[in-house]
Amino acid sequence: MGAISLTELGSKLAGLMFIWGTIQHFFPYTLRKRINSFWHKLENYFYPYVQITIDEFTNGKNNDIYTQVNSYLGTKSINKDAKYLKAEKSKNSKSFAVSLDEGEEIIDQFLGAKLSWRSHIETFNDQNSSGRNNSRPIEKKSYTITFNQRYKEMVIEKYLKHVMEEGKAIEFKNRKQKIYSNNCSEDWYWYGKGMWRDINFEHPATFDTLAMDPKKKEEIVSDLVAFSKGKDYYSKVGKAWKRGYLLYGPPGTGKSTMIAAIANFLNYDIYDLELTSVKDNSGLKKLLMETTSKSIIVIEDIDCSIDLTGKRKKKKKKNEETTNEDEEEDSESSKEKASENKETGKLTLSGLLNFIDGIWSACGQERIIIFTTNHKDKLDPALIRRGRMDMHIEMSYCKYEAFKVLARNYLNIGTHPLFQQIQDLFEEVNISPCDVAENLMLKNASGGPEICLNNLIQALEKAKEKANKDKEGKEKTSLNSKSINKVSTKLVGRLKKLWK
């Protein structure tokens, strides 16, 4: 018996039940009870199926289950005989999905059970509209899943959970990445726009195009893969599912490009946190609570965004100083207390540490925190210790292996007679990947790889010449300072003799 005939049979049985409901009050109670029992057995024999309906909206709000079912069914193979299809693309999706229109059927298999999915659209007029002529039609969409009643427990406990997880994963895979920036205005949140604003993130950087030592790159990729698959492991060891990366090195060495490559590799959103726009520790917590899971929180140039170490340095300096005057100590103590009172209500190092590694840091899952800095030594050790910044990644000057990646990216070449000369120069010169890429970039249509490589050789030779001059200058300065020290030592010695 086909699915269509079963549906027709079900509707006919439902009609008979309606008729029975209108006339059953003419029968005695005992007879009615026996007839109902017999009828249910007859109905289950001819139509032993159960239906579950999933509406698009529940209590006026979007039903997440409906959205996840829609994504899940979009990946299922469409019946060859299906004639009515529809194509849909959500606002934040990279691609569109072709699915069945109303009335068509999708058959799914799960743990030996056969399940039938159908979409339904019910149109009715909005009762809240003022005036009969102004009423607008409203569409009520839903999905129904039909299956044999012996699989009821399995469907409710396992299958629907499977559909939701798969649908959620498909949504995440197909969505457009976003980059968020925290608002610099305190009133923005109250206009319904939240504490973050976003645009589509379309940076093309990948680990394949990243100019970096291949071994170090492989180490980073392995760490990211282990983290993304570590949900059960982090739960087992009792740690929040997050990881911190410190990117440090001279300007132009690819720290921002590394962040983009990590985001594209994991398909995560980016939250670019500007600390100077954060009013206090409470505001920092609110920002954290509005970030999503599967995201990267970035604080660039953390050493020069706000002063997070001044107070600690003052205390350290005070501990190192000694004085015998009690009045002076009391005065210094009162000044420090006054300073602490002024700091109240501001963003502090303690607040940032709690943001990274405190209780509030566990309000989301699968989150990465990245700091960048040009001067690692300027950062407070508590800020970058293991457990907060788990992996310290040095973004160094461009070397020969990284140059070969850039040559492949910009010039589409893997080898060239000039490569040996370039390799020799890289061993003597420090130059950033940014400067190398600029010299390798084709400036006009008539240019070719050889012109670009020669431009790079000239830049490397200039850098080498400058480095040699700087070295000579430092040596001269060092010799001059030594000679001055000798002369001053002799003068001091003569003055001591004269004084005697």
Side-chain angles (χ1 to χ4, degrees):
M1 187 176 290
I4 295 178
S5 59
L6 283 174
T7 305
E8 291 176 353
L9 178 60
S11 62
K12 289 179 180 179
L13 289 172
L16 289 173
M17 282 295 294
F18 176 76
I19 295 172
W20 165 245
T22 59
I23 65 173
Q24 64 175 331
H25 61 277
F26 294 108
F27 294 86
Y29 173 76
T30 305
L31 182 60
R32 289 204 312 266
K33 188 175 180 181
R34 290 182 178 179
I35 292 174
N36 284 333
S37 176
F38 172 76
W39 184 262
H40 284 304
K41 290 179 181 178
L42 184 66
E43 184 182 21
N44 290 335
Y45 177 79
F46 285 102
Y47 192 76
Y49 293 94
V50 176
Q51 279 191 349
I52 297 177
T53 301
I54 301 171
D55 294 321
E56 183 181 13
F57 297 99
T58 304
N59 297 326
K61 297 181 180 179
N62 287 324
N63 186 0
D64 290 338
I65 302 177
Y66 178 91
T67 305
Q68 290 155 10
V69 167
N70 200 41
S71 299
Y72 175 79
L73 295 179
T75 63
K76 293 299 171 183
S77 58
I78 298 173
N79 188 351
K80 294 180 180 179
D81 298 328
K83 296 181 179 180
Y84 302 100
L85 309 175
K86 60 181 178 180
E88 294 178 320
K89 181 179 182 297
S90 63
K91 182 179 179 182
N92 296 325
S93 177
K94 296 178 181 177
S95 58
F96 65 90
V98 177
S99 58
L100 297 177
D101 204 352
E102 182 185 10
E104 294 287 356
E105 184 181 41
I106 291 179
I107 301 297
D108 195 16
Q109 301 281 344
F110 186 78
L111 297 180
K114 185 178 180 181
L115 307 108
S116 171
W117 286 94
R118 289 181 183 272
S119 65
H120 303 279
I121 301 177
E122 181 182 353
T123 305
F124 57 94
N125 292 328
D126 186 5
Q127 300 297 327
N128 295 326
S129 299
S130 59
R132 184 175 299 177
N133 296 331
N134 295 329
S135 62
R136 54 188 178 87
I138 295 178
E139 288 186 344
K140 180 182 177 182
K141 298 180 181 179
S142 63
Y143 280 109
T144 58
I145 174 176
T146 305
F147 52 91
N148 195 294
Q149 62 181 357
R150 67 175 178 268
Y151 297 115
K152 183 176 179 181
E153 185 176 349
M154 182 273 292
V155 170
I156 294 174
E157 295 182 0
K158 295 181 180 180
Y159 178 68
L160 288 179
K161 184 179 179 181
H162 163 76
V163 170
M164 291 169 61
E165 289 177 351
E166 289 292 317
K168 191 182 296 184
I170 293 165
E171 285 179 2
F172 176 74
K173 182 180 178 181
N174 292 332
R175 90 197 197 293
K176 285 185 178 179
Q177 286 175 271
K178 298 284 187 179
I179 181 168
Y180 295 82
S181 175
N182 57 308
N183 175 40
C184 57
S185 171
E186 296 179 12
D187 299 327
W188 191 24
Y189 181 83
W190 302 109
Y191 287 102
K193 297 182 179 180
M195 301 186 73
W196 296 93
R197 54 182 174 184
D198 65 89
I199 60 172
N200 291 337
F201 180 72
E202 298 176 346
H203 200 293
T206 65
F207 279 103
D208 290 334
T209 61
L210 188 65
M212 193 177 195
D213 179 73
K215 291 183 180 179
K216 186 183 291 186
K217 193 188 300 186
E218 184 179 352
E219 181 184 353
I220 297 168
V221 170
S222 298
D223 191 80
L224 291 170
V225 171
F227 169 76
S228 64
K229 296 180 178 179
K231 180 179 181 180
D232 294 335
Y233 177 77
Y234 277 83
S235 177
K236 177 184 175 182
V237 300
K239 288 187 65 176
W241 192 10
K242 64 179 182 63
R243 193 150 179 82
Y245 294 94
L246 174 68
L247 308 183
Y248 66 97
T253 51
K255 293 184 285 293
S256 297
T257 306
M258 169 65 80
I259 295 170
I262 292 174
N264 288 330
F265 181 76
L266 296 173
N267 197 27
Y268 284 7
D269 291 332
I270 296 177
Y271 288 86
D272 184 17
L273 177 58
E274 177 57 57
L275 289 180
T276 56
S277 300
V278 181
K279 183 181 178 182
D280 51 25
N281 295 336
S282 177
L284 193 62
K285 286 181 183 177
K286 291 177 182 177
L287 285 167
L288 178 64
M289 288 179 354
E290 287 203 11
T291 61
T292 60
S293 299
K294 294 181 180 290
S295 62
I296 301 173
I297 300 174
V298 178
I299 304 178
E300 293 198 88
D301 298 321
I302 190 170
D303 56 299
C304 55
S305 55
I306 59 172
D307 182 18
L308 295 169
T309 58
K311 189 175 177 181
R312 183 173 290 208
K313 286 180 179 177
K314 287 178 184 176
K315 287 185 177 181
K316 184 178 180 181
K317 184 177 180 181
K318 185 184 174 183
N319 290 334
E320 290 176 351
E321 292 176 350
T322 56
T323 177
N324 295 325
E325 297 181 5
D326 294 338
E327 292 181 0
E328 185 176 345
E329 288 181 358
D330 294 338
S331 176
E332 288 294 325
S333 178
S334 61
K335 286 181 180 179
E336 185 178 335
K337 288 180 180 179
S339 176
E340 288 179 357
N341 291 333
K342 289 181 181 179
E343 290 291 328
T344 303
K346 293 184 179 181
L347 180 61
T348 63
L349 176 62
S350 175
L352 185 58
L353 295 180
N354 288 327
F355 173 86
I356 302 167
D357 197 35
I359 295 176
W360 286 94
S361 67
C363 68
Q365 294 191 67
E366 202 171 347
R367 184 184 284 130
I368 290 176
I369 301 173
I370 297 179
F371 290 166
T372 72
T373 179
N374 295 337
H375 306 284
K376 179 183 175 181
D377 56 320
K378 289 185 178 180
L379 300 179
D380 193 296
L383 194 64
I384 59 175
R385 68 161 174 79
R386 304 293 177 176
R388 289 186 176 126
M389 293 294 105
D390 304 284
M391 194 172 186
H392 295 191
I393 303 172
E394 182 180 6
M395 307 298 293
S396 58
Y397 290 110
C398 187
K399 298 303 178 185
Y400 181 66
E401 291 298 325
F403 154 75
K404 288 197 293 185
V405 175
L406 292 173
R408 186 183 69 242
N409 295 342
Y410 285 85
L411 304 177
N412 199 27
I413 58 175
T415 184
H416 193 277
L418 294 174
F419 274 22
Q420 184 58 52
Q421 184 179 355
I422 292 173
Q423 182 177 8
D424 295 337
L425 286 168
F426 269 122
E427 292 177 358
E428 302 180 69
V429 175
N430 286 333
I431 186 170
S432 69
C434 182
D435 291 331
V436 174
E438 180 61 27
N439 284 284
L440 293 180
M441 186 176 290
L442 293 170
K443 302 297 192 300
N444 54 63
S446 61
E450 192 165 344
I451 294 176
C452 295
L453 293 174
N454 281 318
N455 289 338
L456 176 60
I457 290 172
Q458 291 178 15
L460 290 170
E461 288 176 343
K462 287 181 180 178
K464 180 180 177 181
E465 184 179 348
K466 184 178 182 300
N468 290 335
K469 286 183 178 179
D470 292 342
K471 185 178 179 181
E472 291 175 0
K474 287 180 180 179
E475 289 177 352
K476 288 181 180 178
T477 303
S478 178
L479 290 172
N480 290 335
S481 61
K482 286 181 180 179
S483 61
I484 291 171
N485 287 335
K486 287 181 180 180
V487 171
S488 61
T489 303
K490 289 180 180 179
L491 287 173
V492 170
R494 289 179 180 178
L495 288 171
K496 284 182 178 180
K497 287 180 180 180
L498 291 171
W499 180 257
K500 289 180 180 179

